[in-house]
Amino acid sequence: MVDYLVSTCGVPQAKVAKAAPRFAHLRSPDRPDAALAFLRSQGLTRAQVRAVVTLHPTLLLRDVDATIAPKFRAVRLLMKCLAKKWLLKYSVDWLKDSMSTLRGYGVPEARLVATLRQRPALIMRSPARLRALAARVDACGVPRGSWMYAWALLALHCVSDAAFRAKMAAVMCATGCTEQEFLAMFRRAPCFVGMSTELLRRKVEFLIGTAGCGADDIVRNPVLLTYSLSKRMEPLCRAIEALKARGVDVGKERLVTILRKPEVRFMERYILRYSHQAPELLELYPPDHHNGSLSGDSSTIGSSSQSEGD
């Protein structure tokens, strides 16, 4: 092990003498080899590996999967937070006050944590600005303490009042809904206001013009506006049309109902079931579109489906 630490790791002789007894129980270099291989796989140079091992030689005795890899993941998470230098400008008391304010609105703890993971800047607002934000959410009719309240806070945190009203006007114009109906849509799926006005218009046009949805379908199911056009709605509609063109009886379900099916159920019911009759289905609705992210992402704001901006 003395030779190993010097020749393989480049540890200085003075450090080796002190560290070698810790390695006396080893019968093979398998574990140190695995640790070194992992460090190099993470992009560390030979000089960096030597520096790390010289400082903490016993790192080579740690299990990669159980100890080293989890610590690397934790450090990478920490570095992402530290990269936001503005976070370091706020005192602990400020952050605690903001958290206390949010808890005071009855936001469930689990939802509060999930919300702050998505948008930590929410707790950087002063208590006065948080109260103003909460007032906007209250004006939309979202009840405090409800499961959607945190997502509504997060959605309006990212959208100014002027932008919110512009999007409301666009949806009202495209669907013919009233302001109260729009606010009801927001209460069911707050995140759809986070996309651009143009994208909202395109999605409404697709749902009505191509998918055959009625305006009332969109009003009752605002979660439709959170679905991806290119990754979900367009390929799904192409797949259903291909089945119908081959004379396959896809049942009496309306397309709006099919659109809302969880990804796994849609794949089983329409793609895998008929792939032998219509092999092109796997190209129209390729496997990389059903990797799980579209079937129910619990971190998505206010919906059970993928929300994205294409």
Side-chain angles (χ1 to χ4, degrees):
M1 286 309 304
V2 169
D3 292 340
Y4 181 92
L5 291 170
V6 173
S7 61
T8 304
C9 307
V11 179
Q13 190 74 40
K15 284 276 188 179
V16 168
K18 185 176 180 180
R22 304 289 296 274
F23 294 81
H25 66 285
L26 294 181
R27 294 294 176 264
S28 78
D30 290 349
R31 177 163 287 195
D33 282 347
L36 287 174
F38 177 82
L39 293 175
R40 290 165 184 155
S41 73
Q42 299 302 301
L44 273 68
T45 65
R46 184 177 181 83
Q48 289 171 328
V49 171
R50 181 174 64 250
V52 170
V53 175
T54 298
L55 187 62
H56 292 292
T58 54
L59 178 68
L60 299 178
L61 297 175
R62 303 290 185 263
D63 182 87
V64 170
D65 295 329
T67 304
I68 303 178
K71 288 183 182 294
F72 258 78
R73 289 193 293 271
V75 168
R76 290 189 189 282
L77 177 60
L78 175 63
M79 293 306 295
K80 287 182 180 179
C81 294
L82 293 180
K84 299 178 174 66
K85 296 180 181 178
W86 50 265
L87 182 65
L88 304 179
K89 296 188 296 184
Y90 294 86
S91 70
V92 173
D93 288 339
W94 178 292
L95 303 182
K96 288 171 64 178
D97 287 345
S98 297
M99 291 287 286
S100 178
T101 299
L102 291 173
R103 289 190 180 100
Y105 296 140
V107 178
E109 193 71 18
R111 182 52 59 94
L112 178 60
V113 171
T115 304
L116 295 180
R117 281 177 179 167
Q118 286 203 5
R119 190 70 62 173
L122 184 63
I123 59 171
M124 303 307 130
R125 286 178 172 245
S126 67
R129 293 183 67 196
L130 278 176
R131 286 194 294 271
L133 178 62
R136 290 178 61 198
V137 176
D138 293 339
C140 292
V142 183
R144 293 191 177 188
S146 72
W147 199 237
M148 285 296 178
Y149 196 83
W151 295 140
L153 282 171
L154 184 53
L156 294 188
H157 165 74
C158 304
V159 178
S160 69
D161 187 58
F164 180 82
R165 295 198 169 277
K167 292 168 186 181
M168 179 168 64
V171 172
M172 288 171 61
C173 179
T175 63
C177 71
T178 65
E179 180 175 337
Q180 289 306 311
E181 287 173 328
F182 177 87
L183 293 177
M185 292 171 65
F186 174 75
R187 291 192 290 270
R188 295 190 191 104
C191 70
F192 79 82
V193 301
M195 62 192 69
S196 70
T197 302
E198 172 61 19
L199 181 56
L200 277 174
R201 183 188 62 77
R202 284 171 48 210
K203 288 188 175 184
V204 171
E205 288 180 352
F206 176 86
L207 288 167
I208 294 176
T210 303
C213 296
D216 57 331
D217 290 322
I218 301 173
V219 171
R220 288 196 301 267
N221 302 282
V223 71
L224 294 170
L225 296 177
T226 70
Y227 295 157
S228 168
L229 269 177
S230 63
K231 296 179 181 178
R232 179 160 182 160
M233 292 196 289
E234 290 177 339
L236 183 149
C237 289
R238 286 195 296 266
I240 295 297
E241 287 304 315
L243 285 172
K244 290 180 178 179
R246 283 180 171 265
V248 175
D249 182 6
V250 296
K252 297 181 179 180
E253 284 187 311
R254 298 176 60 211
L255 195 51
V256 64
T257 305
I258 298 174
L259 278 170
R260 293 203 62 185
K261 284 185 179 295
E263 186 75 4
V264 173
R265 286 179 58 191
F266 173 77
M267 286 296 301
E268 292 175 349
R269 172 68 177 83
Y270 296 100
I271 304 300
L272 301 179
R273 183 176 181 179
Y274 299 110
S275 59
H276 64 288
Q277 295 176 241
E280 69 272 20
L281 288 176
L282 291 177
E283 294 181 9
L284 292 172
Y285 206 83
D288 61 356
H289 284 169
H290 61 96
N291 58 11
S293 64
L294 301 180
S295 61
D297 182 352
S298 61
S299 67
T300 299
I301 307 171
S303 90
S304 61
S305 305
Q306 185 194 42
S307 171
E308 54 79 56
D310 80 342

